[in-house]
Amino acid sequence: MKKIFSLLLVSVLMLSSLLSGCSSSEPSSKSSDKISIVTSIFPYYDFARNIVGDKADVKLLLSPGNEPHHYEPSPSDIVAIEECDIFIYNGGESDEWVENVLDSLENKNITVLKMTDYVSLLNEKNPDHTDGDEADEHIWTSVRNAEQLVKKISDVVIEKDNKNKSEYENNTNQYLLSLDELDKEFTDVVNNKKRDTVVFGDRFPFLYFMTDYGLNYECAFPGCSSETEPSLEVVTRLIDYVRDNNIPVVFHLEMSNGKIAQLIGDDTGAEILQFSSCHNITKDEFNNGEDYISVMKQNCSALKEALS
């Protein structure tokens, strides 16, 4: 599969080069007075667009509504990366495809940000791997991590486009204030908690989030698990835990069928709520203007119910 992808990548880049060479009289597809930013997943798209406002073009590769763990770049996606000024991706299992693309861009004047390089990674227990624990890649689920990542993106944008430095700095400071307020809202919920453990009848990509607020968790799978169906032992354990500890809420992830959570809820009477990782949002949410902060505020409300 990697060989096939590499051949496709080479073909796309050669075609792009030929087309650009044969159409020098045509205007470039890239705006001449704006830098262009391409991001692999929604959180970094949202961070970038809040920083740049209308002073730069920001493109999201992962279309709203699509499952991020199964994404593969299209030829037009590869060309967009080739032609951008800044490429932002996360790193980790979901972004393994990026390495093939980067190998082909060594001579391009593109600033590449691998965001997992800029925070301290935490290890999750993952029974799918025989080589022990692995780093959890879902770093943006921590609002405090998000603040650090926004600062890094802002620094790189300013370095690339210094003429708009003042506006970028103002936008960044305003957005950081919003993130700080969000962190305070979560802290307030946790400070008034009646319990300190939440239950996910689903994958669990929230290790950084729970670590920030000192919360414990029970889940069906780790965040990077490839499993889709839990064993009877896992379901029984979660049902017993919810019943024995009077857990009021069982969470499921966005874009999940929620079957495991529903099964636990049906057996225990617990309420079923969504807790979003913000890895991506639906088309309707995107069109309605939902963003990282608004989705995390919904998480805050759900967490308040779960800890009551």
Side-chain angles (χ1 to χ4, degrees):
M1 182 62 71
K2 288 185 177 179
K3 289 182 179 179
I4 294 174
F5 179 82
S6 297
L7 289 172
L8 173 62
L9 176 61
V10 170
S11 299
V12 169
L13 294 176
M14 288 178 64
L15 178 60
S16 172
S17 178
L18 287 170
L19 289 175
S20 61
C22 294
S23 57
S24 58
S25 61
E26 296 296 324
S28 171
S29 60
K30 178 184 162 185
S31 173
S32 60
D33 62 345
K34 292 183 179 182
I35 63 169
S36 62
I37 303 169
V38 173
T39 69
S40 63
I41 57 175
F42 178 75
Y44 305 134
Y45 168 80
D46 198 42
F47 297 165
R49 65 177 177 173
N50 274 280
I51 292 166
V52 303
D54 62 358
K55 298 299 183 183
D57 296 320
V58 185
K59 176 181 175 62
L60 172 63
L61 294 182
L62 180 67
S63 299
N66 286 348
E67 214 289 324
H69 294 92
H70 301 134
Y71 167 79
E72 291 184 5
S74 67
S76 62
D77 290 340
I78 297 171
V79 172
I81 297 171
E82 181 194 23
E83 295 182 344
C84 76
D85 296 295
I86 302 171
F87 175 50
I88 305 171
Y89 75 107
N90 189 63
E93 287 192 358
S94 298
D95 279 345
E96 286 183 344
W97 61 270
V98 173
E99 300 307 319
N100 285 318
V101 175
L102 296 184
D103 287 343
S104 70
L105 302 179
E106 291 181 356
N107 297 322
K108 304 287 184 180
N109 186 27
I110 301 172
T111 300
V112 178
L113 288 178
K114 180 182 178 181
M115 302 313 290
T116 50
D117 286 344
Y118 304 109
V119 299
S120 297
L121 299 180
L122 300 176
N123 287 341
E124 66 171 353
K125 301 290 184 181
N126 196 333
D128 288 346
H129 295 265
T130 58
D131 55 354
D133 301 347
E134 67 170 329
D136 188 330
E137 66 189 55
H138 306 90
I139 57 175
W140 65 86
T141 61
S142 159
V143 179
R144 297 170 191 175
N145 276 352
E147 292 178 315
Q148 298 305 311
L149 300 173
V150 165
K151 291 175 184 176
K152 181 61 183 180
I153 295 171
S154 180
D155 288 345
V156 169
V157 168
I158 291 171
E159 182 180 347
K160 207 78 170 180
D161 184 25
N162 193 259
K163 68 179 182 295
N164 290 307
K165 176 180 178 180
S166 178
E167 182 155 350
Y168 294 148
E169 287 180 338
N170 288 336
N171 291 344
T172 300
N173 289 335
Q174 288 300 312
Y175 193 61
L176 289 173
L177 287 174
S178 297
L179 290 173
D180 186 59
E181 182 59 34
L182 180 61
D183 180 34
K184 289 177 181 176
E185 290 180 28
F186 277 116
T187 300
D188 184 62
V189 167
V190 173
N191 286 343
N192 291 282
K193 68 182 185 299
K194 294 181 180 178
R195 64 190 76 245
D196 61 6
T197 301
V198 294
V199 174
F200 280 77
D202 214 319
R203 290 186 177 90
F204 180 78
F206 300 100
L207 185 58
Y208 297 92
F209 177 90
M210 297 296 167
T211 300
D212 279 351
Y213 303 111
L215 296 173
N216 301 316
Y217 63 92
E218 297 288 337
C219 65
F221 311 114
C224 292
S225 174
S226 61
E227 290 186 64
T228 57
E229 296 293 336
S231 66
L232 178 60
E233 180 183 4
V234 168
V235 174
T236 300
R237 174 179 62 79
L238 291 175
I239 288 174
D240 288 345
Y241 185 88
V242 170
R243 185 183 293 115
D244 293 346
N245 293 277
N246 297 313
I247 300 296
V249 170
V250 175
F251 289 126
H252 69 86
L253 282 179
E254 77 276 18
M255 301 183 198
S256 163
N257 60 28
K259 288 182 179 179
I260 305 170
Q262 192 61 58
L263 179 63
I264 298 169
D266 289 344
D267 200 281
T268 63
E271 183 178 5
I272 308 304
L273 294 177
Q274 176 175 297
F275 202 90
S276 177
S277 71
C278 298
H279 212 153
N280 200 8
I281 59 176
T282 67
K283 290 181 180 179
D284 286 344
E285 288 173 332
F286 187 86
N287 292 334
N288 290 334
E290 297 288 353
D291 56 21
Y292 177 86
I293 287 179
S294 68
V295 173
M296 291 296 278
K297 282 181 177 290
Q298 294 170 26
N299 284 348
C300 192
S301 296
L303 183 66
K304 185 175 183 179
E305 290 194 46
L307 299 181
S308 63

